[in-house]
Amino acid sequence: MDAPPPPPPESSPTAVTAAANVADDPLTSPYASMNSYCHDLSALQDLACRGAWRTIVDKVARSRSLSLLSKPHEHLIYLTFNLLSLVKLRRYPDAQQELRTLDDDLDSKQYLYDSYPDHYPNHKSGSMVPFALRWLHAHLPFTLGDRQLALDRLYTLLHFIRDKKLSRNLDSTSEVSLTLWKKREQFVVNTIISHHLSQKEFKVCLSLLRAEISKNEDPLLVSKLGYVQMQYGDLDGAKRSFEVVEKMVMGSDSENVELKNLLSRNKALKYLVGKDYVSAVREYEECIERDGSDVVAINNKALCLMYLRDLSDSIKVLESALERVPTVALNETIVVNLCSMYELAHVNHADIKKTLSTWIARVAPDDFDNSCTRI
Amino acid sequence: MSGAGGGAQQAVHSLAFRVMRLCRPTLHVDTAPLKFDPCDILFGEDLFDDPIAASHLPRLLSSQSNTSVSDPSDLSYRSRFLLHHPTDSLGFPGLLVLPQAFGAIYLGETFCSYISINNSSNFEVRDVIIKAEIQTERQRIVLLDTSKTPVESIRAGGRYDFIVEHDVKELGAHTLVCTALYSDGDSERKYLPQFFKFIVSNPLSVRTKVRNVKETTFLEACIENHTKANLYMDQVEFEPAQHWSVTALKTADHALEHNLLMGETFKEPVLIRSGGGIYNYLYELKFSSPHSGQVKVEGSNILGKLQITWRTNLGEPGRLQTQHIVGNPITRKEIELDAVEIPPSIILDKPFLVSLKLINLTERVLGPFEVWLSESDLLNEKAVMVNGLQTMTLGEAQAFSSLKFQLNLIATKHGIQKISGITVFDTVEKKTYSSLLELEAICRYMWTHSD
């Protein structure tokens, strides 16, 4: 299937022209609500927020078989949700199949609003491809084992954004649109940095991050630079980066809990690399008191306790977080740490890991990767 | 990656050792957190080029329940789907992960381990004497010994933990031996040994080259990384031997950028790639003797040592120093030959005199000497030859003094010619000194030809 199917014969020409005439009438405008814009879209979004990816795959299949989707953009949005769900569920070959139903060229005419004047009268020309679809198209080869192709596609996507979208002036586009494209540029750069970071190509990461920081002086970005430096061992460099973050935050909103916790967590890392685990624990406890669902602080505090020879308490910290704030604490990394602690603490760790695994199965979203329990 | 290890397990033990290598943690990287901005999924990428659509965007988005990601009353997993902050897409939140495998261990690193003794029986155990030792081919190092203060009791289901550290200074097989001597539920004294083996490898190799250029000695050191990790070279310093001074020569940093925000001039970190990456260091060494005029001591020439400190994840350090690095052997100069006078112009085929001075640099009498011009290596006849007796005899030269003499030479080719191969032979010590001096002279035809 190449192009989205034509609208079902039920939609009469009069309905379409009516839409054309009252495009901005709040009662009949396609933008009156999420669902008027796209069939049952709020349900899809709700399912995604709940991590019910299997349900989404079923829903998309049903909507297609019952021909519930009438407009081309609806098909694309449903396809995007389907593709994302399959990737979240780690069903990569199925995801590739889904992607194959599209034209190789996402810039093809069939994905433009003005190719369907009946559906989108008076609509400005442009692409109806959701940006996430482009990103998923670039990302998918990595999931199938071809990291290099994925990186190539990501760099191509970056150039596409810079050359085709960001270079326009405000006559041909809106400010809302330009802002969105700037965010998308950052999104793609971050994905690229993430790839290089997991391959331990630190110098590339440093250079890309520094370029980002010069465009956008964000304390979180500078903190990430510090984390990269710590990761390969440049402790002095990391300390200097954290000092810059402190200077940046000092002027701004002093009541912002997130920024306060960021500073505390950075300080805790400095103590930790200096092997002063007691002070690190103290910093993390301050974070947790300010924000009980700061899982980074909770996780890192547990590790510090372990390095302080207190395995029992480190286990308790993680277990209690899972109980107390499961929707943020149920994270593969935290489970990996907890299972490592179980393996150390118990000769017969299989039992306790099974208990954990059973609990996870009840509570976890569809995309949770159970292999982290190493059962 | 916790281990139970090997050991004599004939008896049923109430206690068991669990061991986990505790090198520094790493920061977790999630290559694709799969978190998105809702605009990128719900809407066509160019939808908001359309002004009507753009005007509806804020309302449409806020109609979604937009509670904060960290709202405890929000029981959804939206934090796994939606970006809370743009930097979330880096997948690098600063979450620490425990080491997941024993990994490789290298000379110069510190072996650190968490050791937990579990009492998995239903009875209390008492008077527990715990020992932890590292055994290598050469030695036994005690890391922990509670003989003097035994652990009074470990209750049923209880645990006694300790962390041991050991700076690894030997290569090859190492064994961590953990033993527990305890009284079990029947007051029987039991002995539990457990062994955990690991191998220590060489992380680096250092190749050096020494070159002498006049009074300066240059030392090139090439460090090669044999480990499985990228090594951050925190400090590489040359410690010179006595009487030597050192300057590290660094390349001009081409990529020096001064970033106003970062307030510093960024220097590229020295990171040596895993599995064979190399980095070169260059040092300039100067010998400064405390006694003026004294030349370098004869014999083997120790320049100094290289001290290397590297770091890996979260600053995990490793330290090594090389053995003594030796320079080129210095032989003390015994005699020197200087030109005193050369005629300004020499006429072809006409004999001329060159005045030379032989200086005795030693504290003993040298000579008598013989002086000649050695045979040319080239097939062509030498341009400048001795006129007359080919070998000249000179007397003795006293300690720290000189002998003046003249060589009677003749030029057979015109143009700028070298007077080379002047050889001095000490007839008593039977030592030959060649290549002490090379001269140049302009040889003209008798009638002045402007060439």
Side-chain angles (χ1 to χ4, degrees):
Chain A
M1 174 185 97
D2 283 344
E10 296 89 71
S11 72
S12 63
T14 37
V16 170
T17 37
N21 294 331
V22 291
D24 212 22
D25 179 333
L27 291 176
T28 54
S29 152
Y31 304 117
S33 70
M34 276 298 192
N35 292 337
S36 66
Y37 153 71
C38 172
H39 173 78
D40 224 6
L41 188 56
S42 55
L44 274 180
Q45 208 194 355
D46 185 59
L47 286 170
C49 285
R50 288 196 277 119
W53 304 102
R54 285 195 275 264
T55 314
I56 293 179
V57 172
D58 291 341
K59 182 178 168 67
V60 171
R62 247 183 101 247
S63 306
R64 284 170 174 171
S65 68
L66 295 177
S67 303
L68 297 175
L69 309 175
S70 51
K71 290 182 185 261
H73 76 275
E74 291 181 320
H75 283 280
L76 279 177
I77 292 172
Y78 269 63
L79 190 146
T80 306
F81 267 97
N82 204 34
L83 187 58
L84 177 57
S85 302
L86 291 169
V87 174
K88 283 269 188 191
L89 293 168
R90 290 178 297 284
R91 285 169 54 180
Y92 304 123
D94 291 341
Q96 189 173 48
Q97 277 302 101
E98 180 75 354
L99 202 53
R100 286 213 179 105
T101 63
L102 283 177
D103 196 304
D104 259 344
D105 178 15
L106 289 175
D107 295 318
S108 125
K109 278 227 183 96
Q110 58 185 300
Y111 304 127
L112 300 178
Y113 289 111
D114 38 358
S115 301
Y116 309 91
D118 293 342
H119 283 290
Y120 312 107
N122 308 323
H123 197 290
K124 205 147 190 245
S125 70
S127 153
M128 62 175 86
V129 173
F131 180 73
L133 188 52
R134 282 195 198 267
W135 186 90
L136 285 165
H137 167 261
H139 173 68
L140 205 60
F142 166 64
T143 66
L144 295 163
D146 192 347
R147 179 187 289 276
Q148 198 48 58
L149 180 56
L151 258 180
D152 288 347
R153 285 187 181 176
L154 285 167
Y155 275 103
T156 308
L157 183 55
L158 186 60
H159 287 305
F160 166 78
I161 299 172
R162 288 176 172 165
D163 298 340
K164 296 264 167 55
K165 302 297 183 181
L166 289 179
S167 53
R168 298 176 294 175
N169 52 35
L170 280 172
D171 295 334
S172 52
T173 181
S174 68
E175 213 165 313
V176 171
S177 205
L178 268 181
T179 312
L180 278 177
W181 282 106
K182 283 210 182 92
K183 277 196 196 169
R184 288 163 185 166
E185 181 195 18
Q186 195 180 5
F187 184 62
V188 176
V189 172
N190 285 354
T191 309
I192 292 172
I193 295 175
S194 191
H195 272 279
H196 287 301
L197 195 52
S198 59
Q199 290 297 96
K200 306 201 176 151
E201 291 157 348
F202 297 115
K203 290 199 176 174
V204 181
C205 296
L206 286 178
S207 130
L208 287 170
L209 267 174
R210 297 182 79 88
E212 282 300 287
I213 290 169
S214 64
K215 277 195 282 185
N216 171 14
E217 293 178 0
D218 182 339
L220 266 99
L221 263 183
V222 182
S223 297
K224 307 290 182 188
L225 178 66
Y227 303 160
V228 173
Q229 289 166 310
M230 276 202 170
Q231 186 82 314
Y232 67 77
D234 182 0
L235 302 183
D236 291 331
K239 284 194 183 94
R240 284 196 300 269
S241 299
F242 291 157
E243 275 161 25
V244 172
V245 177
E246 273 178 31
K247 266 190 251 157
M248 287 168 92
V249 172
M250 233 159 28
S252 62
D253 179 8
S254 54
E255 282 318 302
N256 185 327
V257 170
E258 282 192 23
L259 284 179
K260 274 195 179 143
N261 275 17
L262 175 69
L263 287 184
S264 287
R265 290 197 307 266
N266 290 354
K267 232 198 239 168
L269 275 176
K270 273 194 291 192
Y271 284 130
L272 189 144
V273 297
K275 295 184 130 184
D276 181 0
Y277 301 110
V278 174
S279 302
V281 168
R282 199 189 56 228
E283 288 295 329
Y284 286 129
E285 280 173 347
E286 278 179 29
C287 289
I288 297 166
E289 209 165 326
R290 280 182 225 126
D291 176 4
S293 39
D294 185 343
V295 284
V296 178
I298 294 170
N299 173 78
N300 293 2
K301 173 185 166 185
L303 258 79
C304 288
L305 288 173
M306 195 170 146
Y307 282 77
L308 284 169
R309 203 168 59 94
D310 194 352
L311 183 57
S312 311
D313 278 341
S314 65
I315 290 177
K316 283 199 196 116
V317 167
L318 291 186
E319 283 177 340
S320 97
L322 284 173
E323 236 179 298
R324 204 172 41 84
V325 284
T327 51
V328 281
L330 188 52
N331 163 316
E332 284 83 344
T333 308
I334 289 179
V335 173
V336 162
N337 283 333
L338 183 55
C339 289
S340 296
M341 292 172 187
Y342 282 156
E343 286 165 17
L344 180 58
H346 302 280
V347 180
N348 303 311
H349 46 258
D351 290 337
I352 194 162
K353 287 209 282 184
K354 196 81 184 48
T355 311
L356 176 65
S357 185
T358 313
W359 177 82
I360 289 175
R362 264 186 18 235
V363 170
D366 292 348
D367 59 315
F368 190 85
D369 188 353
N370 280 300
S371 65
C372 61
T373 55
R374 274 203 306 258
I375 288 184
Chain B
M1 77 147 237
S2 303
Q9 298 283 359
Q10 304 297 352
V12 172
H13 280 283
S14 316
L15 295 181
F17 282 100
R18 301 289 299 163
V19 166
M20 176 170 148
R21 183 175 172 196
L22 210 63
C23 40
R24 290 181 193 214
T26 43
L27 287 164
H28 177 70
V29 181
D30 189 351
T31 313
L34 295 176
K35 295 188 202 182
F36 297 89
D37 182 324
C39 291
D40 291 345
I41 304 188
L42 303 172
F43 309 115
E45 59 193 0
D46 288 334
L47 181 64
F48 300 104
D49 282 353
D50 181 270
I52 297 174
S55 68
H56 286 278
L57 168 64
R59 187 178 48 79
L60 278 178
L61 281 181
S62 66
S63 72
Q64 301 304 297
S65 51
N66 231 353
T67 47
S68 148
V69 167
S70 52
D71 179 354
S73 67
D74 169 25
L75 295 175
S76 78
Y77 285 107
R78 65 176 59 241
S79 61
R80 289 172 73 94
F81 166 53
L82 297 174
L83 290 170
H84 175 59
H85 187 278
T87 57
D88 289 351
S89 44
L90 281 167
F92 197 40
L95 266 176
L96 293 167
V97 190
L98 285 169
Q100 291 302 298
F102 187 89
I105 184 156
Y106 299 99
L107 193 64
E109 293 184 329
T110 303
F111 170 71
C112 178
S113 180
Y114 197 111
I115 304 179
S116 182
I117 302 185
N118 293 354
N119 179 2
S120 51
S121 74
N122 295 322
F123 309 99
E124 188 197 20
V125 303
R126 303 193 61 82
D127 296 321
V128 192
I129 296 179
I130 307 165
K131 270 204 208 151
E133 280 185 354
I134 294 263
Q135 281 179 17
T136 63
E137 260 178 72
R138 283 199 269 144
Q139 53 181 332
R140 278 184 128 142
I141 301 147
V142 176
L143 302 176
L144 178 90
D145 187 349
T146 68
S147 312
K148 300 234 171 81
T149 48
V151 180
E152 264 187 45
S153 102
I154 302 178
R155 62 170 176 83
R159 172 166 54 239
Y160 182 79
D161 294 346
F162 50 104
I163 294 182
V164 293
E165 269 191 23
H166 167 68
D167 288 337
V168 178
K169 296 201 174 102
E170 274 178 69
L171 287 169
H174 285 58
T175 310
L176 172 65
V177 182
C178 297
T179 59
L181 183 61
Y182 63 100
S183 304
D184 71 1
D186 301 323
S187 295
E188 226 184 288
R189 205 85 180 123
K190 289 238 177 88
Y191 176 71
L192 169 71
Q194 268 184 278
F195 310 97
F196 306 90
K197 291 191 199 286
F198 57 93
I199 307 239
V200 174
S201 325
N202 226 334
L204 307 168
S205 56
V206 183
R207 289 190 294 276
T208 56
K209 240 187 230 166
V210 179
R211 294 180 215 269
N212 293 310
V213 178
K214 295 209 181 145
E215 291 306 305
T216 314
T217 304
F218 290 98
L219 170 67
E220 260 180 58
C222 174
I223 300 183
E224 185 176 336
N225 174 5
H226 299 299
T227 74
K228 297 201 183 91
N230 298 320
L231 300 182
Y232 170 67
M233 290 290 122
D234 193 5
Q235 269 172 348
V236 177
E237 265 158 22
F238 187 78
E239 278 181 8
Q242 203 184 29
H243 302 318
W244 285 97
S245 66
V246 65
T247 317
L249 299 177
K250 299 194 174 142
T251 55
D253 243 315
H254 302 291
L256 274 181
E257 1 153 340
H258 189 88
N259 183 313
L260 284 173
L261 170 70
M262 305 299 287
E264 60 173 17
T265 314
F266 178 64
K267 273 186 231 143
E268 281 287 310
V270 179
L271 263 170
I272 308 186
R273 193 178 48 80
S274 61
I278 63 162
Y279 197 81
N280 292 302
Y281 292 87
L282 186 60
Y283 300 95
E284 186 183 278
L285 296 162
K286 289 218 168 86
F287 186 82
S288 48
S289 156
H291 315 294
S292 59
Q294 177 71 45
V295 292
K296 300 163 196 170
V297 175
E298 194 171 346
S300 139
N301 186 21
I302 293 176
L303 299 174
K305 306 190 276 223
L306 209 54
Q307 290 267 33
I308 304 170
T309 306
W310 71 87
R311 288 188 189 269
T312 53
N313 56 291
L314 264 66
E316 182 91 67
R319 281 175 202 94
L320 277 180
Q321 68 183 31
T322 61
Q323 296 181 323
H324 285 301
I325 297 173
V326 167
N328 300 322
I330 297 244
T331 41
R332 213 164 133 198
K333 252 183 168 178
E334 293 185 316
I335 66 170
E336 220 175 81
L337 201 59
D338 282 344
V340 174
E341 201 188 319
I342 314 171
S345 80
I346 292 157
I347 299 182
L348 206 58
D349 298 333
K350 281 229 157 177
F352 63 96
L353 289 174
V354 168
S355 296
L356 300 172
K357 186 166 71 171
L358 187 152
I359 307 169
N360 178 359
L361 295 168
T362 71
E363 70 274 3
R364 61 188 192 279
V365 174
L366 291 179
F369 300 98
E370 283 175 4
V371 183
W372 66 82
L373 249 58
S374 68
E375 290 286 303
S376 169
D377 292 331
L378 305 170
L379 293 169
N380 301 338
E381 208 181 278
K382 271 189 97 142
V384 177
M385 299 184 292
V386 173
N387 180 39
L389 275 181
Q390 292 302 293
T391 305
M392 180 176 186
T393 319
L394 296 180
E396 290 178 335
Q398 297 303 309
F400 298 120
S401 63
S402 53
L403 278 180
K404 282 209 183 119
F405 65 100
Q406 285 181 324
L407 278 181
N408 194 324
L409 304 171
I410 189 162
T412 58
K413 290 190 191 162
H414 79 284
I416 300 177
Q417 300 297 340
K418 282 201 164 61
I419 305 172
S420 62
I422 304 173
T423 309
V424 175
F425 177 67
D426 183 329
T427 54
V428 171
E429 295 195 9
K430 308 284 192 239
K431 278 198 191 145
T432 309
Y433 303 90
S434 49
S435 317
L436 288 172
L437 185 66
E438 219 170 65
L439 299 167
E440 269 183 1
I442 304 172
C443 308
R444 301 179 188 282
Y445 288 114
M446 177 138 46
W447 40 89
T448 45
H449 234 286
S450 46
D451 289 324

